[in-house]
C-alpha cells in the first residue's frame, strides 16, 4: 500500500543563515521530508502546510534592530513543536519576554558546551560527561530567558546557550547543530524530528521511488516524454526513474555538444541504449554549440547560451516524437538553491543553472522534474535502488553546461580538446591511486593564459591547467582535498608530457566558502 511520504514534514523558516540548507539536509538524513520557506511566510500558509514541526534558522541580523526579520505572532500558538537555532532561539526568547543583547565577547568556531540542569528530550544522548563540543557563530546572546523556559546549556562566555519549555515543545539552541563541526548535531536534529515531532521516517529511497513513479504516471498520462540525457548522475537517475514509471513513453535525447568528457558520448549510449533498454536519440551538435559560444567570455552568458540551445534542440527533436508533451530534466534541490534561492527568495544569486527557472513561453513542452526535491546523495541512493551501475551513480558531479564552464573565457574546440585530455589523465590517476572515491568532486579547469616553459632545450609558451578536488558531505560547504605531493607530481608530469598545449599545472587549495567548487 502506497504511503504519503509528504504527510509528515518539517517546515524550516529561513532568516538568511549561510547554514540553512544544511538544516534541511540533516532532516532528510533522519528520513523525514522537509521544505524551506522564507521567514515571512504567512500564518495561513503555515497552517495549510500542516507541519509536524517548525525550525527557525539562524540569520545575520540582530533581533533588536529596527526592521529585523520576524515571524507571524501566532506561530507559537499552533501547538506545533518549534526549534529555534541561533537567531531563531533569540527570536523565540524575545517573543516570550526574554532579553537579547550584544554579547560582550562574541563566539565563532568550536566551543565546549556544558549541560545545565536536566536536559529534555531534544538533548537525549547529546552530552557526554556533561559536555559536548559545538560550533558557534553569533555576536548576540540571550541575557534573560522567558519565565516559562529553563536553561539547558551554557559556555564559559555565554550563560544561555540552550533553552527549553518541554510542556509546550519549544526549544532553542545558540549553536549550529546542522554543521559537521558540531559532532553530535545530527543526533539533536534527529531527536527533534523523530522523538519530539513524532515523524516516523518515511522518506526512504524505496518510498521516494514509489511516490515518484505514481506522480509521474498521474502527471504524464498517455503522453510521451523526452529527457535531456547528459550522462551525469542527475540526468541518468532521472532517466531511470521516468523509464521505471512510463517505459516506452520515454525517449531520451542525448545532445553530444562537444563540451563533454573524453569518450562520454559512447559511454552514455552503451549504458542506456544497449544495457538498460532505454530509447536514446543521439544528436551531434558540437558545431552548433561552438558557433553559439564563439567570442563569449562571460560565464553567466555562456550558461544561458548553452541552456537555451539545449532547449532549442529538445524542441526540434520533440516534433519527431508523437504525443511528446513533456520535457524531463534532472534538476535537483541544490540547483534550485544556487539559482537565486528559489525556495526562499532570501539567498544571493551565486550562479544560474541551465535547467532551472522553467521553459521559454514559446516552447510547447511542459516540464517534468522528478528529482527537484532531492539532494545529491539522495539522488545517488535512488540510482542504486533503481539498479544503475555503481560507477555511474557515484561518478563525480558534472555541470549541465559541461566544459563550457570549466574553460575560463571563450570556448573553442582547441581548448575543449586540451581540457578533455588533461581531465581524463587526472581522473585516471585518481582512480589508480585510490583517491577517486575519497573525493567528492574532482576535475581540471582550462585557463586561457600562457606562460613560459622549457621542454628539452627549447622554450615553450603554452596554456595552464588547474586541478580541483574537494571533500564535502552536502556540496553547500567544501574543503580542498589534501593530495599527496608525489601523486600531484605524477599527475602534473603526465599532463604536461602527454597533452600538447599545456606546460604548467596548478592545484586549487580554496575552500567553499569563500570560493565555489566550480570556477565559473
Amino acid at each position: 500500500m502506497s504511503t504519503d511520504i509528504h504527510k509528515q514534514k518539517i517546515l524550516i523558516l529561513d532568516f538568511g543563515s549561510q547554514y540553512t540548507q544544511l538544516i534541511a539536509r540533516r532532516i532528510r538524513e533522519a528520513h523525514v521530508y522537509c521544505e524551506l520557506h522564507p521567514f515571512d511566510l504567512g500564518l495561513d500558509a503555515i497552517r495549510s502546510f500542516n507541519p509536524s514541526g517548525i525550525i527557525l534558522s539562524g540569520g545575520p541580523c540582530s533581533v533588536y534592530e529596527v526592521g529585523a526579520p520576524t515571524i507571524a505572532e501566532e506561530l507559537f500558538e499552533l501547538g506545533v513543536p518549534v526549534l529555534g537555532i541561533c537567531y531563531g532561539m533569540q527570536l523565540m526568547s524575545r517573543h516570550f519576554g526574554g532579553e537579547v543583547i550584544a554579547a560582550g565577547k562574541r563566539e565563532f568556531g568550536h566551543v565546549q558546551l556544558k549541560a545545565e540542569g536536566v536536559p529534555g528530550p531534544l538533548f537525549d544522548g547529546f552530552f557526554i560527561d556533561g559536555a559536548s563540543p559545538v560550533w558557534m557563530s553569533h555576536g548576540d546572546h540571550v541575557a534573560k530567558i522567558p519565565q516559562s523556559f529553563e536553561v539547558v546549556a551554557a559556555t564559559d562566555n555565554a550563560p544561555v546557550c540552550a533553552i527549553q519549555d518541554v510542556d509546550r515543545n519549544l526549544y532553542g539552541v545558540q549553536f549550529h547543530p546542522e554543521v559537521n563541526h558540531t559532532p553530535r548535531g545530527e543526533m539533536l536534529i534527529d531527536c527533534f524530528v523523530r522523538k519530539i515531532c513524532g515523524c516516523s521516517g518515511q522518506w526512504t529511497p524505496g518510498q521516494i521511488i514509489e511516490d515518484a513513479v505514481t506522480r509521474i504516471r498521474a502527471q504524464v498520462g498517455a503522453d510521451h516524454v523526452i529527457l535531456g540525457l547528459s550522462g551525469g548522475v542527475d540526468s541518468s537517475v532521472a532517466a531511470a526513474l521516468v523509464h521505471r514509471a512510463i517505459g516506452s513513453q520515454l525517449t531520451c535525447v542525448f545532445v553530444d555538444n562537444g563540451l563533454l568528457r573524453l569518450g562520454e558520448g559512447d559511454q552514455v549510449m552503451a549504458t542506456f541504449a544497449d544495457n538498460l533498454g532505454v530509447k536514446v536519440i543521439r544528436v551531434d551538435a558540437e558545431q552548433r554549440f561552438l558557433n553559439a559560444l564563439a567570442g563569449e567570455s562571460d560565464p553567466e552568458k555562456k550558461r544561458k547560451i548553452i541552456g537555451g540551445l539545449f532547449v532549442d534542440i529538445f524542441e526540434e527533436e520533440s516534433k519527431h516524437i508523437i504525443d511528446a508533451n513533456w520535457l524531463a530534466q534532472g534538476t535537483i534541490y541544490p540547483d534550485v538553491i544556487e539559482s537565486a534561492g528559489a525556495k526562499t527568495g532570501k539567498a544571493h544569486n551565486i550562479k544560474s543553472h541551465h535547467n532551472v527557472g522553467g521553459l521559454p513561453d514559446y516552447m510547447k513542452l511542459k516540464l517534468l522534474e522528478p528529482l527537484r526535491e532531492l539532494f545529491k546523495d539522495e539522488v545517488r541512493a535512488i540510482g542504486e535502488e533503481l539498479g544503475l551501475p555503481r560507477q555511474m551513480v557515484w561518478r563525480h558531479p558534472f555541470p549541465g553546461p559541461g566544459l563550457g564552464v570549466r574553460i575560463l573565457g571563450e570556448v573553442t574546440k582547441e581548448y575543449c580538446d586540451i581540457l578533455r585530455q588533461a581531465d581524463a589523465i587526472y581522473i585516471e590517476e585518481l582512480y589508480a591511486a585510490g583517491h577517486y572515491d575519497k573525493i567528492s568532486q574532482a576535475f581540471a579547469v582550462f585557463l586561457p593564459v600562457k606562460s613560459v616553459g622549457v621542454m628539452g632545450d627549447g622554450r615553450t609558451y603554452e596554456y595552464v591547467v588547474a586541478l580541483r578536488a574537494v571533500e564535502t558531505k552536502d556540496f553547500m560547504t567544501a574543503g580542498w582535498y589534501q593530495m599527496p605531493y608525489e601523486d600531484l607530481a605524477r599527475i602534473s608530469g603526465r599532463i604536461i608530457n602527454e597533452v600538447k598545449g599545456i606546460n604548467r599545472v596548478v592545484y586549487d587549495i580554496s575552500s567553499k566558502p569563500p570560493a565555489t567548487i566550480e570556477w565559473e
Side-chain angles (χ1 to χ4, degrees), residues 319-388:
K319 293 175 182 176
H320 305 303
I321 303 170
I322 299 172
D323 296 327
N325 295 318
W326 296 85
L327 171 64
Q329 293 187 154
T331 308
I332 67 171
Y333 194 41
D335 295 339
V336 179
I337 292 167
E338 287 202 331
S339 295
K343 282 286 183 184
T344 67
K346 308 301 175 188
H348 289 282
N349 185 22
I350 307 298
K351 59 187 176 184
S352 66
H353 289 262
H354 78 286
N355 58 346
V356 175
L359 298 173
D361 293 336
Y362 66 81
M363 195 168 184
K364 296 178 182 178
L365 294 175
K366 292 173 283 189
L367 202 55
L368 181 67
E369 297 176 308
L371 308 179
R372 190 179 177 91
E373 295 177 335
L374 305 177
F375 286 90
K376 177 69 75 174
D377 55 341
E378 293 176 310
V379 173
R380 294 189 196 277
I382 287 172
E384 286 193 305
E385 190 90 5
L386 289 167
L388 287 175

Side-chain angles (χ1 to χ4, degrees), residues 243 266-278 280 387-389 392:
H243 186 254
D266 294 337
Q267 292 171 12
V268 170
M269 295 302 293
T271 298
F272 282 91
D274 300 343
N275 298 327
L276 298 180
V278 179
V280 184
L388 287 175
M392 170 177 281

